Amino acid sequence: MMNVSALPVSSSDIDAAARVLAPFAVRTPLLSPPVLSERVGARVFLKPEVLQRTGSFKFRGAFNKLSSIPMDARGGGVVAYSSGNHAQGLAAAAQLLGISATVVMPADAPSMKAVNTRSYGAEVVFYDRYREDRVAIAERIAAQRGATVIPSFDDPQVLSGQGTAALEMIAQAADMGARLDVVVIPCSGGGLASGCALALSAESPGTATYTAEPVGIDDMRRSLAAGERVTSDPGTRSICDSLTTRTPGELTFAINRSLLAGGLAVNDDEVLRAMAAAFTDYKLVVEPGGAAALAAVLAGKLDLQGKTVAVIASGGNVEGETFIRALGIH
Amino acid sequence: MMNVSALPVSSSDIDAAARVLAPFAVRTPLLSPPVLSERVGARVFLKPEVLQRTGSFKFRGAFNKLSSIPMDARGGGVVAYSSGNHAQGLAAAAQLLGISATVVMPADAPSMKAVNTRSYGAEVVFYDRYREDRVAIAERIAAQRGATVIPSFDDPQVLSGQGTAALEMIAQAADMGARLDVVVIPCSGGGLASGCALALSAESPGTATYTAEPVGIDDMRRSLAAGERVTSDPGTRSICDSLTTRTPGELTFAINRSLLAGGLAVNDDEVLRAMAAAFTDYKLVVEPGGAAALAAVLAGKLDLQGKTVAVIASGGNVEGETFIRALGIH
């Protein structure tokens, strides 16, 4: 286990991010649907980041990162490559801060993604994902315009922003007289999990924190078990379109290996069932990747009898077609 | 305008209900989705009673009413006629209080309704709605068993329970530094609206409170305008299956005519669009009737520029089929 104090980010960075975000981010509620607790046999809290600006936690990290750019470096704008929640979170954060934003997106991404990103005033640059390299394109734009590239997870300010979700969760649970035994967090590159792990280790050291990933794209789980970063098969598919990063970030893994209790993996049917439960019983719209932690808890991946558990529902940006598929599962 | 002090219920009954409900009801959050406020050009709060126990505000009134039954009169149980949210709210409240509950339901109601009601331990008695009278059946059961009939809206304890939603809303808005200029509330028999009106008139007297009903079943709106109770055409249909009561209650109307600013009416397309907005932009599952107030605000039924507004999303018990219909609207 590496020394956490050697990392370039600490729980005080999460506290600082919380102060930066307070006037702009939605302080999402901490829900405790009685029917969920009864089903699991535990006291289960649910943190619906679906209610965050742009429908996912990604606004937190993007806003915190953009706020850290010195005023005299903001004129060149920011650039990112993403077709998903990071794109929207970044665009909305940039708009609030008056910074111009460019998002590099595959030309064959669903048109809704570009529409949503543009709705926050960002410019969308398309590329051919079979013939072009999105990182090279973003870096070229950054060099030409003097723009700052905004990583989607492997960055101290980005993951510090994501960690504010856990700070809120701890305080909200305490207000309800609860201490969290277990927290489960959807994981792709590990920004949300590592930021939350830093906050939890400082403010709630008794909590065991787990990631939830799609089966076969569970490289964080396997990396934690192996003690080193491993990569998932690029051919593996999952309904969780927001959890497709196939190697843990360097920084996020360094944090997670020190602080997490382990990783969990869920299959498509478990995810769809969790989305259906969120619709039927909790009245929340959760996207597939956002439902991974709830799926892990509902599918019994951990023994939670009598414990106090919190899951993050990390995003709700789901197309009607996919949602309808979830409604059809039994 | 009649004298409110002559009514058999007052704002102190809402305060008492809040104390009764505190350990059992969900204190639903008061949300303020930025995209909703930007769209309406007002500061808009949304109170999602979809997150309440059983998926609607009905639990509040049922629990408060059942708690008012003397211990020595609880042995005979309770009985109600409803195929909707009142049935589930009543069943869940009875289960928590250890009171046996019977619900009289039409034999041709969707099977899901009976399944949900039974899931809270209630007995379901079916009747032929073309040949039998549900009120007579409920009263016969009550007489045979010594059970108490629980009205769905026109009752002091029931509407006092519903009014606790407004008490929470006022306190939650105040915590965010806001005073409510306008509140819009879905309305069927008027229990939620009258209970909330009592709370608002006492705790937030500057607030203008409106009901929202389906076009053609907007008898509360027309009754408020006429100054006397009028009845809607029994043949008028609406997608709002939880807002089909066609005459205001005696008590609820007496309160509403004294305290409400007026009534609004929304059509099916406006309701479906509000449900779609709740899905796409607010990530909440709202049933047609539950979306009536949001629909009225989104459709511009009031001039809200620069005001602070709260709408109640009163329920989220919607079948997948109807929800899919809302997802298809543009």
Side-chain angles (χ1 to χ4, degrees):
Chain A
M1 199 176 276
M2 87 175 280
N3 187 348
V4 183
S5 64
L7 295 168
V9 55
S10 76
S11 67
S12 65
D13 295 302
I14 322 285
D15 297 333
R19 289 189 293 274
V20 167
L21 285 170
F24 298 97
V26 174
R27 190 176 194 263
T28 57
L30 188 65
L31 307 174
S32 186
V35 65
L36 174 54
S37 294
E38 285 152 19
R39 180 170 301 167
V40 176
R43 184 171 184 185
V44 186
F45 291 104
L46 192 145
K47 178 81 168 166
E49 280 296 297
V50 304
L51 303 175
Q52 187 51 262
R53 275 184 192 266
T54 72
S56 90
F57 71 96
K58 287 285 191 181
F59 174 81
R60 295 177 185 265
F63 190 91
N64 190 51
K65 176 67 177 178
L66 266 54
S67 299
S68 76
I69 302 174
M71 282 295 173
D72 61 5
R74 291 185 184 184
V78 293
V79 58
Y81 38 90
S82 164
S83 61
N85 290 332
H86 178 55
Q88 291 184 59
L90 174 87
Q95 185 175 51
L96 282 169
L97 290 165
I99 299 175
S100 67
T102 306
V103 176
V104 180
M105 204 175 273
D108 59 352
S111 62
M112 183 64 79
K113 309 253 179 183
V115 169
N116 287 342
T117 303
R118 285 196 190 111
S119 77
Y120 298 106
E123 179 189 350
V124 175
V125 172
F126 291 109
Y127 74 101
D128 178 342
R129 63 168 150 180
Y130 302 104
R131 299 175 51 189
E132 295 180 289
D133 174 8
R134 64 183 190 169
V135 179
I137 294 170
E139 284 173 355
R140 191 169 64 233
I141 291 169
Q144 284 166 348
R145 302 182 186 178
T148 308
V149 177
I150 308 298
S152 62
F153 56 87
D154 213 21
D155 177 276
Q157 278 80 36
V158 170
L159 71 86
S160 295
Q162 320 303 26
T164 60
L167 272 192
E168 291 175 12
M169 205 158 62
I170 296 161
Q172 290 165 325
D175 282 348
M176 292 182 266
R179 280 194 303 181
L180 303 173
D181 299 315
V182 175
V183 168
V184 188
I185 304 173
C187 180
S188 186
L192 181 61
S194 60
C196 289
L198 280 169
L200 286 157
S201 68
E203 304 291 334
S204 184
T207 303
T209 304
Y210 295 84
T211 52
E213 291 170 291
V215 166
I217 317 181
D218 50 349
D219 38 273
M220 186 66 80
R221 182 188 72 75
R222 292 193 299 120
S223 299
L224 290 169
E228 59 178 358
R229 293 197 297 153
V230 301
T231 296
S232 291
D233 180 342
T236 307
R237 298 180 73 97
S238 161
I239 196 173
C240 299
D241 60 311
S242 53
L243 305 183
T244 54
T245 302
R246 277 154 216 272
T247 311
E250 276 187 60
L251 178 56
T252 60
F253 179 65
I255 295 167
N256 286 348
R257 72 179 295 191
S258 298
L259 301 178
L260 294 192
L264 309 169
V266 289
N267 66 33
D268 281 4
D269 274 1
E270 290 164 342
V271 166
L272 287 166
R273 264 186 224 111
M275 290 172 68
F279 169 80
T280 305
D281 295 326
Y282 322 133
K283 313 303 178 190
L284 291 171
V285 176
V286 187
E287 66 183 77
L294 180 62
V297 165
L298 290 177
K301 304 288 176 184
L302 291 170
D303 178 9
L304 299 170
Q305 285 304 309
K307 293 193 174 160
T308 298
V309 188
V311 299
I312 297 182
S314 52
N317 293 316
V318 51
E319 310 270 329
E321 202 173 299
T322 305
F323 201 72
I324 290 167
R325 194 175 149 199
L327 296 189
I329 202 160
H330 294 292
Chain B
M1 198 175 280
M2 86 173 282
N3 188 347
V4 183
S5 63
L7 295 168
V9 55
S10 75
S11 67
S12 65
D13 294 303
I14 322 285
D15 297 333
R19 289 189 294 274
V20 168
L21 285 169
F24 298 97
V26 174
R27 189 176 195 262
T28 56
L30 188 64
L31 307 174
S32 185
V35 65
L36 175 54
S37 294
E38 286 152 19
R39 181 171 300 167
V40 176
R43 185 172 185 183
V44 186
F45 291 104
L46 192 145
K47 178 79 167 167
E49 280 296 296
V50 304
L51 303 175
Q52 187 52 263
R53 274 184 192 266
T54 72
S56 89
F57 71 96
K58 287 284 190 182
F59 174 81
R60 295 177 185 264
F63 190 91
N64 190 52
K65 174 70 178 176
L66 266 54
S67 299
S68 77
I69 302 173
M71 283 294 174
D72 61 5
R74 293 185 184 183
V78 292
V79 58
Y81 37 90
S82 164
S83 61
N85 289 331
H86 178 54
Q88 291 184 59
L90 174 87
Q95 185 176 50
L96 281 169
L97 290 165
I99 300 175
S100 67
T102 306
V103 176
V104 181
M105 205 175 274
D108 60 351
S111 63
M112 182 64 78
K113 309 253 179 184
V115 169
N116 286 343
T117 303
R118 285 196 190 111
S119 77
Y120 299 106
E123 179 188 351
V124 174
V125 172
F126 291 108
Y127 74 102
D128 178 342
R129 62 168 151 178
Y130 302 103
R131 300 176 52 190
E132 294 180 289
D133 174 9
R134 65 181 190 171
V135 179
I137 294 171
E139 283 173 355
R140 190 170 65 233
I141 290 169
Q144 283 166 350
R145 302 183 185 177
T148 308
V149 177
I150 308 298
S152 61
F153 56 86
D154 214 21
D155 177 276
Q157 277 80 34
V158 170
L159 71 85
S160 295
Q162 321 303 26
T164 59
L167 272 192
E168 291 175 11
M169 203 158 64
I170 296 161
Q172 290 165 323
D175 282 348
M176 292 183 267
R179 280 194 302 183
L180 303 173
D181 299 315
V182 175
V183 168
V184 188
I185 304 172
C187 181
S188 187
L192 181 62
S194 60
C196 288
L198 280 169
L200 286 156
S201 68
E203 303 292 333
S204 183
T207 302
T209 304
Y210 295 84
T211 53
E213 292 169 292
V215 167
I217 318 180
D218 49 349
D219 38 273
M220 187 64 82
R221 183 188 71 76
R222 293 193 300 119
S223 298
L224 291 169
E228 61 177 0
R229 293 196 298 152
V230 300
T231 296
S232 292
D233 180 343
T236 307
R237 299 180 72 96
S238 160
I239 195 172
C240 299
D241 59 309
S242 55
L243 305 183
T244 55
T245 302
R246 278 154 215 274
T247 311
E250 275 186 61
L251 178 57
T252 59
F253 179 64
I255 296 166
N256 286 348
R257 70 180 296 194
S258 298
L259 301 178
L260 293 192
L264 308 169
V266 288
N267 66 34
D268 282 3
D269 273 1
E270 289 163 343
V271 166
L272 288 165
R273 264 185 225 111
M275 292 172 66
F279 169 80
T280 305
D281 295 325
Y282 322 134
K283 312 304 178 190
L284 291 170
V285 176
V286 187
E287 66 183 77
L294 180 61
V297 165
L298 289 177
K301 304 289 176 184
L302 292 169
D303 178 8
L304 299 170
Q305 286 303 309
K307 293 191 174 160
T308 298
V309 188
V311 299
I312 298 182
S314 53
N317 292 317
V318 52
E319 310 271 329
E321 202 173 299
T322 305
F323 201 72
I324 289 167
R325 193 173 149 200
L327 297 190
I329 203 161
H330 295 292

